[in-house]
Amino acid sequence: SPFASPVAARAAHAAARVPGSTFWDLDEVSDAAAAPSTPHNLPTPAQFAAEARRHGIAPDTRVVCYDQLGVFSAPRLWHTLRAFGVEAAVLDGGLPAWAAAGHAVERGEPAVEPAAAPAADFAYSGELQWRLGDVEAWLASDRTVQLVDARPAGRFRGTAPEPRAGCR
């Protein structure tokens, strides 16, 4: 399942990964206090800076995101990086496309030199994430911004269940 545990995702990364890549845990690096009933919130600036440094990412680092399924969680990491001012891209097709093209894969955990960037060096842009209050204000406004729901049709209509236990 794409909603497998972070332990399973970490193990899959260790079993086969793009050479030199690291594993960013979107479940672990999330501001759970901001919206406790929803997963994968943007991290706090301090959480983001600590995790970015651990992966060797500084504000001027260009990052390419990929995942084990093709394009599933990589866009969420792309969004997170962009929200903190880091230039990022998504590898089209993820690890499956990488391997199918005949590129090498590695096993195990890579050695990474942590970056020395202080938290203040990452420029958080709150405009890239709306919270409940932002949507409520939009509903009461002249709606000059287009709001788009990107869930699958069944979840949008309420005819399909939420695939993650405990989420609404």
Side-chain angles (χ1 to χ4, degrees):
S1 162
F3 300 104
S5 74
V7 173
R10 189 177 299 276
H13 180 263
R17 60 181 176 76
V18 172
S21 66
T22 59
F23 179 78
W24 185 295
D25 189 334
L26 290 169
D27 290 317
E28 183 180 300
V29 187
S30 172
D31 183 6
S37 63
T38 58
H40 309 137
N41 293 297
L42 285 176
T44 66
Q47 284 176 311
F48 177 82
E51 189 69 3
R53 283 193 304 265
R54 193 175 76 73
H55 289 276
I57 299 169
D60 62 348
T61 303
R62 183 157 192 234
V63 178
V64 177
C65 311
Y66 75 93
D67 57 54
Q68 299 285 328
L69 299 176
V71 180
F72 179 74
S73 56
R76 181 65 193 173
L77 179 55
W78 170 84
H79 170 72
T80 299
L81 293 163
R82 302 259 315 175
F84 287 91
V86 176
E87 184 180 349
V90 174
L91 178 60
D92 187 16
L95 185 64
W98 176 267
H103 297 296
V105 295
E106 288 182 342
R107 297 175 60 89
E109 292 296 322
V112 178
E113 183 70 31
D121 287 355
F122 291 99
Y124 173 66
S125 174
E127 296 176 356
L128 294 180
Q129 180 177 8
W130 279 20
R131 301 226 183 257
L132 180 60
D134 297 312
V135 176
E136 290 169 341
W138 174 81
L139 287 168
S141 76
D142 61 5
R143 300 186 185 185
T144 57
V145 173
Q146 180 61 48
L147 185 64
V148 177
D149 188 321
R151 293 176 295 173
R155 286 180 56 210
F156 174 78
R157 285 191 227 93
T159 59
E162 168 59 49
R164 293 165 290 197
C167 291
R168 54 185 168 104

